[in-house]
Amino acid sequence: MKSLYILLAGLLCSGQLLAQAGAGMKIGPGDKAYDDSLRRAGYPYRFPIWGAKAVQKGINLQYPVGAMLNLQGGSQLVNVTDLQVGFNDNPMVPMDFVKFGQVKADLQSATARVDLWVLPFLDVYAIGGAVRAKTHVNVVEPFKFSGEADFKGTTFGLGTTIAGGYHGWITITDINHTWSRLDNIEGSIKTWMITPRIGYNFLFKNKPNRSVAAWVGATALLIDRGTDGTINLSDLNPSADKDQLEKIIAETEQWYQSLSRPQQKVVKELAQAILNRINGLPDDITIRYHLKKEPTSQWSMIAGAQYQFNHRWQVRTEVGFLGGRKSLLISGNYRWRW
């Protein structure tokens, strides 16, 4: 029944698919000379659409096309329900009597992203990369069990950003959908993320293309709840009380007597397999499972900052916190005209 480990990494696979910190920025009244130079220079490029009109209104547009490298690490607490377990080719059995303690997924990911500002306020992008996850599970009732396992996989996502700025203030609302595939999970883990942000962009004096932006916001994480898969018991590195396992096998535990016959069969086979591993015997089984999962809270907070060297190069960082989630994102972005 501890085969639920592998789905948990999917809660972080989506990552922070952050777009450029703000779209075109309206230049303030103190930058009239630069405003006039923008209008005179015009905007001869294909994107964004309406770019020339935006420039005539005094908006300092960034370069429309970008390529970004993201490195991220973090963790997410998870609620697990509707656990069903079966061994080898046997039918799966509901295990609703199992109560979980803390269930946590740790994740590291490296992703690349390309984006295009289609309109001065609308960005679209695609992202893909690799993820590695370690999941930690604790069962507290009717017996104590803990374990962890390492998994790896890939993720791909599509998203859009609606953004704008005025006299330094910026708003960024990001919406994306990701498909993540991990070892031993059937199909893809599908995740929606919605992230509104608000912040301020500090321009350098006499260098309006150089800036530091800072923001705060919130993230809603909506994940496909159902997961099916298989895993070998040897991949779970289980830890359990040997005396309690022996009592289950001997059918002397009181709670064991209240289970249905199919449930008793699954629990006894699992206890025997774990005990064999503890005793160093080469007895392993394949576990089939189904379960539902969701973050302990769908919402978490974020805070971040970006340093823009010029219209071509930016670096940024963002942290996530609260709602059972911790994350750190570091990224670099290169942009060009089209």
Side-chain angles (χ1 to χ4, degrees):
M1 69 190 67
K2 313 313 176 297
S3 53
L4 59 96
Y5 292 119
I6 55 180
L7 71 98
L8 303 177
L11 292 169
L12 290 173
C13 287
S14 55
Q16 296 284 354
L17 306 189
L18 175 62
Q20 181 82 348
M25 178 64 64
K26 173 66 177 176
I27 302 301
D31 303 294
K32 186 177 185 305
Y34 185 68
D35 189 348
D36 292 341
S37 69
L38 284 175
R39 298 173 194 270
R40 289 193 301 270
Y43 195 80
Y45 313 116
R46 295 182 181 88
F47 290 95
I49 300 170
W50 303 337
K53 293 182 179 180
V55 169
Q56 288 302 310
K57 293 181 179 294
I59 295 176
N60 183 12
L61 292 177
Q62 61 189 324
Y63 290 164
V65 187
M68 178 185 292
L69 176 64
N70 298 306
L71 301 175
Q72 185 182 27
S75 65
Q76 174 70 58
L77 298 181
V78 183
N79 290 329
V80 177
T81 58
D82 193 26
L83 176 63
Q84 300 177 41
V85 172
F87 296 116
N88 301 322
D89 296 326
N90 296 325
M92 288 190 290
V93 176
M95 307 291 280
D96 52 352
F97 59 92
V98 175
K99 306 299 181 184
F100 293 93
Q102 185 181 84
V103 180
K104 184 177 73 168
D106 296 328
L107 177 108
Q108 299 81 42
S109 66
T111 57
R113 196 204 72 174
V114 292
D115 74 284
L116 172 67
W117 285 95
V118 179
L119 298 171
F121 56 86
L122 180 66
D123 184 58
V124 295
Y125 59 85
I127 190 166
V131 295
R132 294 188 65 90
K134 174 176 287 189
T135 57
H136 313 264
V137 173
N138 289 286
V139 172
V140 295
E141 292 181 11
F143 53 86
K144 295 187 181 297
F145 176 96
S146 63
E148 63 181 36
D150 295 305
F151 300 93
K152 60 184 178 180
T154 58
T155 187
F156 172 76
L158 298 173
T160 185
T161 300
I162 301 172
Y166 187 76
H167 294 291
W169 290 98
I170 55 175
T171 61
I172 313 164
T173 299
D174 192 77
I175 303 171
N176 62 69
H177 185 59
T178 59
W179 299 261
S180 302
R181 300 186 68 91
L182 297 176
D183 296 26
N184 300 318
I185 289 184
E186 298 176 4
S188 299
I189 299 172
K190 302 172 185 178
T191 306
W192 281 96
M193 292 186 73
I194 303 172
T195 307
R197 302 173 177 87
I198 186 170
Y200 195 86
N201 195 32
F202 301 89
L203 299 179
F204 282 68
K205 188 175 182 180
N206 300 322
K207 293 182 178 180
N209 290 337
R210 182 172 297 180
S211 64
V212 174
W215 58 83
V216 295
T219 295
L221 179 62
L222 310 174
I223 191 167
D224 176 21
R225 289 170 54 93
T227 298
D228 294 273
T230 61
I231 192 169
N232 292 328
L233 182 65
S234 59
D235 293 331
L236 297 181
N237 302 317
S239 174
D241 183 80
K242 185 175 180 179
D243 291 339
Q244 194 170 36
L245 293 173
E246 291 174 343
K247 290 179 180 179
I248 293 172
I249 296 169
E251 302 184 1
T252 58
E253 289 278 21
Q254 183 175 358
W255 59 265
Y256 179 87
Q257 304 301 324
S258 65
L259 302 180
S260 66
R261 290 304 301 169
Q263 290 174 331
Q264 288 179 344
K265 185 175 186 297
V266 169
V267 171
K268 190 171 182 178
E269 288 183 3
L270 180 61
Q272 184 64 67
I274 296 174
L275 185 61
N276 289 343
R277 283 188 53 77
I278 292 175
N279 293 330
L281 300 177
D283 184 10
D284 196 13
I285 58 177
T286 298
I287 303 173
R288 298 171 54 245
Y289 68 89
H290 167 84
L291 49 82
K292 294 180 180 180
K293 76 286 183 187
E294 61 182 356
T296 53
S297 173
Q298 290 185 336
W299 286 94
S300 60
M301 297 296 295
I302 56 172
Q306 172 181 282
Y307 181 80
Q308 176 170 293
F309 297 92
N310 49 50
H311 277 172
R312 290 195 181 276
W313 291 99
Q314 301 90 28
V315 294
R316 70 189 61 173
T317 186
E318 188 169 75
V319 295
F321 52 96
L322 299 182
R325 181 180 177 89
K326 297 179 182 179
S327 64
L328 172 64
L329 171 74
I330 300 174
S331 67
N333 189 26
Y334 177 77
R335 311 198 66 81
W336 63 92
R337 295 166 288 189
W338 183 28

